[in-house]
Amino acid sequence: MSSPMSPTHRRGSERRPSDRRGSSFSRRDSIDPRKLVPMDKMTHISGHDDFNVVFIGAGNIMFGSEEGPWNHSFRFEHKLGRRLKVVALIDPAIERAKEVLRKKCDSFVLSAYEHTRIYKNFEEFHKNLPKSLRPRAFVVGSPPMFRGTLQSGRDIETQILKNYPGVALFIEKPIATGPIEEIEEGYKISKQIEETKTICSVGYMLRYLKAVQMMKHIIEENNLTVMTTIARYACAYEAIAKPDWWDKSKSAGPVIEQGTHFCDLSRYFGGEVDYDSVVAHSLEWDENAGQLSAMKVDESKIPPENRIPRVTSATWKYDSGAVGTFTHVVALQGTNYSCELEVYADGYCLRLVDPYVQPVLYVRKPGDDHEQTYRFPDDDPFFSEVSNLIDIIEDIEEDPDAACILSSYEDAVKTYELTWAIRKASEKSRAAKLSRQAA
């Protein structure tokens, strides 16, 4: 009888027969950084026909907020111009959907939203949307706890694949935040996407940073083998006032919900992970060093067993033999986060700093002990991932090497599996410590 952890008791390279093939729409895993054109330098994609899109979710990830740079609607508007037609907005919070549409219709993008229909769920949408308004793409930005499975009400991906075959998908990360036992369902969804040759991109936008692609270029150009990846993510917890974020029964915990981007970048450079090798430790809320003085939520209202760790630190082996490490920290106050990724190879250190705001890449090469510094002002990886997706949907032929999806659904499930392996490993080490103390 298999245990709940059985999905992680294999190497990453043993996951599925398609692992080594990659996506049908991603012929390689990197993009020439010179091909990543800033949004303000990009001309609207040519054409006169409407480009119909369905937005699933009317929250911050889709329409923006003061908390961060995410805003998918903004990027679609700038890529497609007047061709964009948002034919439907699906969200059970009807009033919120009406409000965001009102703001859009009061702006210069009126033509994209003036005929948008609001539906409370996918079933209502599918039943009532006129066939003449068939979409070219679905943008799925609903909360991850409501997707990523084969279960009714949490199976938006399979519903789209069934009812709108051939229509492209853009899905936010992480692909789910359900129990670890449901990871296998994510791989089944991935197989459906692969077998139906559906264009699908998952929103791990940091892969599209010019700095990240420059790192890839250096590694490939010099035929380097990565020796280790070292990632650190320190969040500014004072600004996190959403109670669900502090409750791992709802958010799945900070590594899965927040640290997922850096676990994904680690995999992007290190390759397939031996999940069985993951070891982790945590600093918990009830330990002396884990006391926080500037929380905006009342943690006493969260059951003790669901309170999040303050620090999670993990190490693992990649199938290549390389070593990966990741540390997530809930310690900073104010608003700015502190995030870094280091990638080492023989003679080289590639150090990425502040990727979310103003990415800086420090490069040390053989023959010079001093780091070279590269800055990337105004880089917008959110736009780059949307731009590449639309170019592939449109089958742009002018430069076939420019468009590339860097994160397939299957790849995103592997990252999700790694974050769960880290959480389970940290919980295992904590349980062992408590057991020793009780003995």
Side-chain angles (χ1 to χ4, degrees), residues 5 9 276 278-282 421-436:
M5 281 294 291
H9 284 182
D276 205 30
V278 177
V279 178
H281 298 279
S282 63
I422 292 172
R423 173 178 161 175
K424 297 301 290 187
S426 69
E427 292 175 344
K428 179 180 178 181
S429 67
R430 173 170 166 78
K433 177 184 177 182
L434 294 176
S435 178
R436 290 193 301 271

Side-chain angles (χ1 to χ4, degrees), residues 55-283:
F55 288 160
I56 301 178
N60 295 343
I61 192 67
M62 200 71 76
F63 293 101
S65 75
E66 296 180 355
E67 296 179 8
W70 42 81
N71 187 332
H72 292 318
S73 63
F74 181 69
R75 275 74 180 194
F76 274 82
E77 292 156 11
H78 280 261
K79 175 66 174 180
L80 291 165
R82 294 186 63 84
R83 289 185 61 199
L84 174 64
K85 296 293 181 286
V86 180
V87 297
L89 174 58
I90 305 173
D91 195 300
I94 299 296
E95 292 305 314
R96 179 175 60 186
K98 288 180 178 179
E99 177 62 17
V100 295
L101 286 183
R102 183 191 64 77
K103 292 179 180 178
K104 289 291 187 182
C105 289
D106 284 343
S107 71
F108 71 96
V109 292
L110 169 65
S111 64
Y113 298 94
E114 59 184 335
H115 300 301
T116 302
R117 300 162 184 243
I118 297 175
Y119 301 99
K120 64 182 179 181
N121 54 47
F122 185 84
E123 291 74 21
E124 182 181 79
F125 155 79
H126 178 58
K127 180 179 178 181
N128 293 286
L129 187 78
K131 288 185 171 54
S132 61
L133 297 180
R134 180 179 173 84
R136 300 283 303 280
F138 284 90
V139 183
V140 182
S142 52
M145 67 279 293
F146 298 120
R147 47 185 169 83
T149 78
L150 300 175
Q151 301 165 39
S152 178
R154 300 171 59 211
D155 60 344
I156 187 65
E157 301 90 346
T158 55
Q159 289 300 314
I160 293 172
L161 292 170
K162 173 184 175 182
N163 294 292
Y164 295 89
V167 177
L169 297 171
F170 179 86
I171 300 172
E172 249 313 307
K173 63 78 207 167
I175 53 99
T177 52
I180 189 172
E181 295 86 352
E182 295 176 352
I183 290 176
E184 204 65 28
E185 296 181 31
Y187 282 107
K188 291 178 180 178
I189 294 170
S190 169
K191 185 177 180 181
Q192 291 180 27
I193 291 171
E194 182 76 20
E195 290 178 345
T196 57
K197 300 188 183 301
T198 299
I199 298 173
C200 180
S201 176
V202 178
Y204 282 105
M205 81 288 176
L206 294 183
R207 293 190 178 205
Y208 294 84
L209 281 170
K210 289 183 179 179
V212 168
Q213 290 308 310
M214 185 174 180
M215 294 167 72
K216 273 284 189 179
H217 180 72
I218 291 171
I219 292 170
E220 293 168 358
E221 186 178 51
N222 294 281
N223 195 29
L224 302 177
T225 299
V226 171
M227 300 172 67
T228 187
T229 63
I230 303 172
R232 173 178 54 76
Y233 190 116
C235 72
Y237 75 88
E238 185 180 16
I240 303 175
K242 184 179 179 181
D244 285 2
W245 189 85
W246 296 88
D247 186 336
K248 62 184 180 182
S249 71
K250 297 178 179 178
S251 68
V255 171
I256 294 172
E257 194 275 341
Q258 190 177 70
T260 182
H261 275 298
F262 267 50
C263 291
D264 185 72
L265 276 187
S266 298
R267 288 189 53 257
Y268 189 46
F269 288 102
E272 301 291 357
V273 173
D274 179 356
Y275 299 104
D276 205 30
S277 71
V278 177
V279 178
H281 298 279
S282 63
L283 167 64

Side-chain angles (χ1 to χ4, degrees), residues 393-411:
I393 295 172
E394 292 279 87
D395 196 20
I396 301 296
E397 295 295 341
E398 287 89 342
D399 188 354
D401 289 330
C404 178
I405 290 175
L406 298 180
S407 181
S408 68
Y409 196 90
E410 180 180 49
D411 209 36

